[in-house]
Amino acid sequence: MLRVDQLRKSFGELTAVDGIGLEANPGEIYGLLGPNGAGKTTTLSCICGLLTPTSGHIWVNGHDVVRDGVEARRVLGVVPQDLALFEDLSARENLEYWGGAWGMRGQALTQRTTEVLEATGLLDRSKEPVKNFSGGMKRRLNFGCGVVHQPKLLLLDEPTVGVDPQSRVRLLELVREQARNGACVLYTTHYMEEAEALCHRLAIVDHGRIVAQAPLAELRAMAGERDVLRLTGTFSPPAVREALSREDRLEVIQIDETSATLSVADASRRLPAIFSAIHAAGGEIRDTVLRQPTLESLFLKLTGKELRE
Amino acid sequence: MRFLALSARKDLLRILRDPIALLTWIALPIIMNGMMALIFREGDPMPQGKLLFVDQDQTLVSGLISSAFSREPLSRMILVERMDEPAARKRIDAGDASAMLIVPKGFSDAFFQRKQSTLTLVKNPSARIVPEMIQQAVDIVLEGAFYLQRVLGPDFDRFTSGPPSDLAVAAMSVRTNQLMRQFSYYIDPPLIDLETKVIQQQKKRAPFPVLFFPGMLMLALFGLAVSRSEDIWRERAQGTLRRALATPQNMASYFGGKVLALGAVTALIGALGLVLARYALSAEIHNPAAALLWAPCAGMSFYVLNIIIQLAASDPRSGVMLSMLILFICGMIGGSFFPFEMMPAWLAAIGRFAPNGWLVLRFKEMLQGPIDPVQLFYAFGTLVVLNGIAFYLICVRLRKWSVA
Ligand SMILES: Nc1ncnc2c1ncn2[C@@H]1O[C@H](COP(=O)(O)OP(=O)(O)OP(=O)(O)O)[C@@H](O)[C@H]1O
Ligand SMILES: [Mg+2]
């Protein structure tokens, strides 16, 4: 359904996307995970034809998005990271307009619009101009506008940011439903739990490159070997690095004067040994957080960054 | 095609949801021109004045100057009275005339010999428009004379140094004929011609509101177009332009919808205006069909023009400022704030090339007639061609602009 091959996009000096390749199939929810500025939005913009790739190819439903963009976009639905709504029109008018843009009409459009309004919890406010909506309501409508025409390929760019937990559950259910109906979903998020709960496959992106790409279970296994140990206090980075380098199955992910993040196998048993090694290197530990292996710890390990600060 | 209609409907809804902007731009020109009408009202719809003409030269040249005032349309606004200087001075000092013009003795000789000579124009300070018009007329005649003097100077010399030979006369007439043809554009005072064309058909004097109506309507359409063109920034900020780019539809339909929506609104405003002009102001409407069609065409042209301005600007603020600036300049010179009939002739000459000036003049022809099918074809054709090019360029630019 979607094939991205060696995609590169540069803005002048800056290469926002640097050789991304991925493939997603109908019925699949494919997660794109990455810190701020990783190039997720840029990738999505290239797929939906807003940006022209510097190099590489993208096929949507077998159509090259650059050469055959109109055909490619016929099956596309987009929920952009920034809102894209007519503030002076009502929720229903927004949905009907965008539905119409994908060729829906008449009874089918009205019915589907009502369905989406219900799913996004906006049915009772559907006649009000969107400018009266709260931020979360706008987000929900923004989501609705992307799915109203039941696209075969749905691009979701952090669609649940700023949405309250109940609404989020409903939105995610809507995404699953799209996938169950055979849509291919490309899902960008900062919420690890969301990705874990939703996605069948994941790609972790950093600096415009994919650093890991696998089915969810495989990624979990990759993460499973080691725990993440996060320490705060005062450290002398070179000395601590030196001291820890003698430890087996331990990796320093990040260290500065006030914090250190380590990836350690079997951490809970080895904590005393690690602490004394750091003390011996002149470090002082004030706070310790030990995390069980999750996708988040894998992410941290791969990118050296917290997903959410 | 369906998406074009959908987009037009969507934008029409959006325009109607902002009735304040709509009403502002309908009300503003009416109020403004109502005030102008109050300021300039002299009881009579056409400014009327008296010019005291003191001809101390009594030659062909001085006769030419006075005859300038006996031509349309000046003759209908200005009454020329010939008299001697003391009598004229007494009258103008008593405020019993708009202006006094003295052609001194020897003016004609000085003219032919290309020597300095001075006409004296005394204007009555208490009247405003008529003395201005007289001054303009004199300026034009003198300017024409200046070119004549420049071009035919050497031949004039031959006249002043004794009777010319037959051969010289023949040569000169050939030369004059050629030059006249070449320079006729500059030598004919073009401005009198311009205004003659517009007013001549007005058999009875138009009352003030009728005089103001075409410019006023165009100003309303221009203003509305400015306020709607601002919306393109909102669409960019709201992200709807970008969403439109991600649909399988093209930018031409999306933007075309906007143009059509404004066309519909301006068609309505134009129709209301014309009905009002016809029945409330008893204005003549020579070609109602053309006039009805002209209003939305003008509205859409103003919109396209202002979108170009917005796309050229760096941010919404400067875009709107630029649009407003152009609106005001064009309003001033393009016969919207003041009808062309009341403007200084040189300004009117520039103003008819301003976008709204051109639109106002064609509109006037449709209202006051006569305008033949060929002229109509050219008028509408010009709009279609210019807007077609602009439309294409805008659609190309909008794609990049939306994601910038
Ligand atoms: N139009 C643009 N012009 C110049 N640079 C851009 C443009 N769009 C994005 N970038 C740069 O490209 C890089 C990737 O940006 P992008 O928006 O794709 O990141 P992202 O992964 O979506 O981040 P976030 O999680 O914050 O949304 C950033 O460094 C950004 O500054
Ligand atoms: Mg992003």
Side-chain angles (χ1 to χ4, degrees), chain A residues 83 88 93 97 101 104 142, chain B residues 2 7 17 238 243 249:
Chain A
L83 296 171
D88 36 14
E93 284 161 346
Y97 178 71
M104 293 183 79
N142 192 45
Chain B
R2 209 177 89 81
S7 298
R17 298 264 158 93
Q238 283 177 354
R243 201 194 270 277
Q249 309 292 342

Side-chain angles (χ1 to χ4, degrees), chain A residues 48-50 70 73-74 78 80 83-89 93 97-98 100-102 104-105 142 145-146, chain B residues 2-3 6-7 10 13-14 17 231 234-235 237-240 242-249 254 399 403:
Chain A
C48 65
L50 286 185
V70 174
R73 288 195 289 275
R74 253 182 237 294
V78 186
L83 296 171
L85 302 168
F86 295 108
E87 298 258 334
D88 36 14
L89 296 184
E93 284 161 346
Y97 178 71
W98 294 116
W102 267 277
M104 293 183 79
R105 60 204 302 176
N142 192 45
C145 288
Chain B
R2 209 177 89 81
F3 185 62
L6 271 180
S7 298
K10 175 251 320 172
L13 276 176
R14 298 184 59 225
R17 298 264 158 93
D231 183 65
R234 222 167 300 140
E235 284 238 28
Q238 283 177 354
T240 43
R242 252 165 295 145
R243 201 194 270 277
L245 283 176
T247 68
Q249 309 292 342
Y254 191 79
R399 277 194 71 86
V403 289

